[in-house]
Amino acid sequence: MPIGEIGAFLLFLVIVFIFGNLWFHFMEAILRRMKALFTRHKKTSAWHTLPPDKSG
């Protein structure tokens, strides 16, 4: 495999990685806004049943 083909393949992988990363952050932002719109900023309860930490 020539160096040019390896470089083109690596460039393709970098472009796919960057596009995937941008897509993920774009979708997360949309979901966060939809969640804020529908939950009206309610405080979410903890998913665990542990008592609150009373250190101090």
Side-chain angles (χ1 to χ4, degrees):
M1 221 179 181
I3 298 293
E5 288 181 12
I6 295 172
F9 182 70
L10 289 176
L11 181 63
F12 173 74
L13 288 178
V14 167
I15 290 171
V16 168
F17 175 77
I18 291 171
F19 176 75
N21 203 0
L22 289 173
W23 182 259
F24 172 78
H25 287 292
F26 178 69
M27 287 292 125
E28 283 292 314
I30 289 175
L31 290 174
R32 190 179 318 119
R33 287 188 183 199
M34 287 176 57
K35 183 178 177 183
L37 180 67
F38 290 118
T39 59
R40 297 183 186 191
H41 305 288
K42 293 179 185 174
K43 184 178 180 184
T44 58
S45 62
W47 60 269
H48 56 77
T49 58
L50 296 174
D53 189 20
K54 295 184 179 181
S55 63

